[in-house]
Amino acid sequence: MNLSNESDRLMENNYSELIDRFLRNQMTEEEMQDFKRQIETNSELKQQVRDHVLLIRAIRETQAEKDKQIIDSVLRESQKPRRTLGSYARYFAVAASLVLAVVVGHDLFYLYSANQLAGELSSKTIAQYQSMTMRGVDDEDVASLDTLFRNVDQGENLDETIDKLSALYAISEDEYVDAVDDYTTQIGMELAIAYHKNGEKDKAVSVLEALIAENQENKDAIRLRKFFIGKFLNMQ
Amino acid sequence: MIKPLISNKELNDFLRDTREKSLRFLQGRYSNLPMDDLEDVYQESSIALYQKIQTGELSELASSLYSYFLGICKNQTEKWIRDNHIQQIFYKEETKLNDADENINEDRLADLDIWAGTYEMDEDCNSAEYQEFLAKVKEGVRNMPAPCNKVLWSYYWDGFSHKQIAELYGMKSEDVCKTQANRCKKKFSEFIKRIRPTYGK
């Protein structure tokens, strides 16, 4: 063993540990003053401190950026629209008409549906939408399904959102509205989460159980139900 | 058709990368709980983290995401123990998480800036040369190979002690971790020497 090298290594390690102890507030006042004096008089230690601080700052900045990217990505995802046109264009059009009906109200809905959607919607479906508006969900404050889902994500306007989602869920479950079957599970899941966020856990579980009864392989609903009723009901 | 409860790729990658050490942490801390139960707790903790991010609770996160997540794992496990009326838990020696004394103190970093005249205090720190140097340093940190990335990131970002890091990564002892950390810091110093700006002191 080269004693000189070994001595250098020990010295370096010693400096490194001193720096870490200082940065973690593990020095006494006396030790700190001694450490300060050493930095000011020992150029080798001074350079080590410069490199050490650079390493720490670089790690903290890169890792903070990485964590922020994850958080921002989840937040972005929870705010973006859930569906796009394309292979679901027909369903989307139907759902959009449904939402529009809610937005503009009962009368305008008929006008719009007559002019724009007559070719797309069956008379039975229109009847269901009419039925929906008759059941009191034609609130002009509701802008779109996406808005409702976003409200759930962000825990905003929950009472109102639950009212709308409940009505939509009831309609989408109806056997006549085949065109919006695709949305039943999505609306149901969102409704369950909304109930849970609103402190109505029993209702949240009921919705999930209904979804599971419809499709016993709905793993998301099964997991969420377990989460709501299970050991972690009142997680921090 | 339906979006999975955790559909986000970035978060899934994070959970995948940290899964092994998180389970090891739980196994070490709650040594008499079966692995199946710990995996359940881990899964629920992952969902809890996802929901907390979604609801905006972590928008202003001051600590590292991983140390925060490990705190969730710990709380969920302890709640599980309470709810299941498990009487005897053979804790390993208590290891604190996010103990203020274990985290880097920003005021102390500022002290070192002044005492040692760190790069941030250089007159040229806004120059293109310095910015290029800084970019190389960050790139070096991002591409740091294992085990240096595990040891140094955990120590300086997650705020874990050498002892905790040794537990998380299954190292033989705290001393092994400390030795590894010193080697990595030395390598980093050599790297800095090679790319240091010409005005560097």
Side-chain angles (χ1 to χ4, degrees), chain A residues 12 19 23 43-59, chain B residues 109 112-113 116-120 133 137 141 152 156 184-197 200-201:
Chain A
E12 271 185 17
I19 297 168
L23 287 173
S43 60
E44 194 185 336
L45 173 59
K46 185 183 273 192
Q47 186 57 55
Q48 267 215 37
V49 169
R50 285 167 61 87
D51 291 348
H52 205 112
V53 170
L54 187 65
L55 168 67
I56 292 168
R57 286 227 163 91
I59 287 175
Chain B
L109 266 178
L112 291 187
D113 281 336
T118 52
Y119 295 95
E120 285 70 19
F133 165 62
V137 171
V141 164
L152 296 184
Y156 290 118
C184 295
K185 281 184 268 189
K186 190 165 186 296
K187 274 187 194 170
F188 183 81
S189 288
E190 287 162 4
F191 166 67
I192 294 291
K193 267 181 205 165
R194 288 199 301 276
I195 63 167
R196 192 178 285 153
K201 291 173 187 173

Side-chain angles (χ1 to χ4, degrees), chain A residues 9 12-13 16-17 19-26 29 32-33 35-36 39-40 45-67 69-78 82-83 88 91 152-155 182 185-186 189 193 196-197 218-220 223-224 226-228 230-236, chain B residues 1-5 7-11 14 40-41 43-44 47-48 50-56 58-59 61 63-66 72 75-76 79-80 83-84 101-106 108-113 115-120 122 130 133-134 137-138 141-142 144 152-153 155-157 159-161 178 182 185-186 188-189 192 196 200-201:
Chain A
R9 191 181 65 77
E12 271 185 17
N13 290 351
S16 171
E17 282 170 31
I19 297 168
D20 286 339
R21 280 188 58 218
F22 174 75
L23 287 173
R24 292 192 167 201
N25 251 346
Q26 293 167 343
E29 186 60 33
M32 274 200 278
Q33 288 310 317
F35 181 59
K36 180 183 177 189
I39 292 173
E40 287 168 346
L45 173 59
K46 185 183 273 192
Q47 186 57 55
Q48 267 215 37
V49 169
R50 285 167 61 87
D51 291 348
H52 205 112
V53 170
L54 187 65
L55 168 67
I56 292 168
R57 286 227 163 91
I59 287 175
R60 291 169 74 80
E61 280 177 30
T62 51
Q63 293 303 99
E65 281 165 17
K66 213 167 153 184
D67 286 356
Q69 273 172 12
I70 295 170
I71 292 169
D72 286 350
S73 163
V74 173
L75 284 172
R76 258 199 321 276
E77 189 186 77
S78 68
R82 301 299 172 97
R83 292 188 182 276
Y88 302 114
Y91 293 153
V152 176
D153 280 343
Q154 295 174 356
D182 180 48
T185 312
Q186 180 80 29
M189 291 292 283
I193 294 167
H196 186 257
K197 285 189 175 177
N218 185 340
K219 288 180 184 167
D220 289 330
R223 285 173 67 198
L224 200 57
K226 184 183 166 197
F227 182 67
F228 287 170
K231 309 153 257 201
F232 312 105
L233 194 60
N234 299 312
M235 64 178 189
Q236 83 297 354
Chain B
M1 293 292 284
I2 304 303
K3 196 176 76 165
L5 284 177
S7 61
N8 183 275
K9 182 184 179 304
E10 281 82 354
L11 184 59
F14 165 82
D40 268 0
V41 171
Q43 191 178 348
E44 301 302 341
I47 295 169
Y50 179 59
Q51 291 184 331
K52 279 175 184 291
I53 298 175
Q54 270 198 320
T55 52
L58 273 63
S59 302
L61 186 64
S63 64
S64 88
L65 185 61
Y66 182 62
I72 293 179
N75 291 340
Q76 296 278 22
K79 183 166 188 342
W80 189 90
D83 290 351
N84 287 278
D101 288 344
E102 292 294 345
N103 277 321
I104 298 296
N105 183 307
E106 290 290 338
R108 293 283 165 263
L109 266 178
D111 284 340
L112 291 187
D113 281 336
W115 298 352
T118 52
Y119 295 95
E120 285 70 19
D122 284 348
Y130 177 75
F133 165 62
L134 207 56
V137 171
K138 283 190 177 181
V141 164
R142 270 193 290 269
M144 201 177 262
L152 296 184
W153 294 356
Y155 192 77
Y156 290 118
W157 176 234
F160 297 142
S161 66
K178 208 179 273 185
N182 284 332
K185 281 184 268 189
K186 190 165 186 296
F188 183 81
S189 288
I192 294 291
R196 192 178 285 153
K201 291 173 187 173

Side-chain angles (χ1 to χ4, degrees), chain B residues 37-172:
Chain B
D37 289 348
L38 292 177
E39 294 215 0
D40 268 0
V41 171
Y42 175 80
Q43 191 178 348
E44 301 302 341
S45 303
S46 303
I47 295 169
L49 175 68
Y50 179 59
Q51 291 184 331
K52 279 175 184 291
I53 298 175
Q54 270 198 320
T55 52
E57 282 184 53
L58 273 63
S59 302
E60 303 294 328
L61 186 64
S63 64
S64 88
L65 185 61
Y66 182 62
S67 58
Y68 183 87
F69 175 59
L70 220 45
I72 293 179
C73 289
K74 178 176 159 281
N75 291 340
Q76 296 278 22
T77 314
E78 286 174 3
K79 183 166 188 342
W80 189 90
I81 289 166
R82 281 196 304 277
D83 290 351
N84 287 278
H85 310 292
I86 294 174
Q87 297 296 323
Q88 280 190 305
I89 287 293
F90 304 105
Y91 291 105
K92 274 194 167 182
E93 186 185 344
E94 176 75 12
T95 48
K96 292 179 184 175
L97 285 171
N98 300 328
D99 186 318
D101 288 344
E102 292 294 345
N103 277 321
I104 298 296
N105 183 307
E106 290 290 338
D107 289 343
R108 293 283 165 263
L109 266 178
D111 284 340
L112 291 187
D113 281 336
I114 296 166
W115 298 352
T118 52
Y119 295 95
E120 285 70 19
M121 304 296 282
D122 284 348
E123 284 178 12
D124 294 315
C125 76
N126 291 320
S127 68
E129 189 183 9
Y130 177 75
Q131 292 306 319
E132 194 185 329
F133 165 62
L134 207 56
K136 282 182 188 170
V137 171
K138 283 190 177 181
E139 197 186 335
V141 164
R142 270 193 290 269
N143 298 327
M144 201 177 262
C148 293
N149 55 357
K150 294 174 180 173
V151 171
L152 296 184
W153 294 356
S154 298
Y155 192 77
Y156 290 118
W157 176 234
D158 295 326
F160 297 142
S161 66
H162 290 305
K163 185 176 177 185
Q164 289 166 337
I165 297 167
E167 279 178 24
L168 286 173
Y169 289 107
M171 295 176 179
K172 279 183 184 169

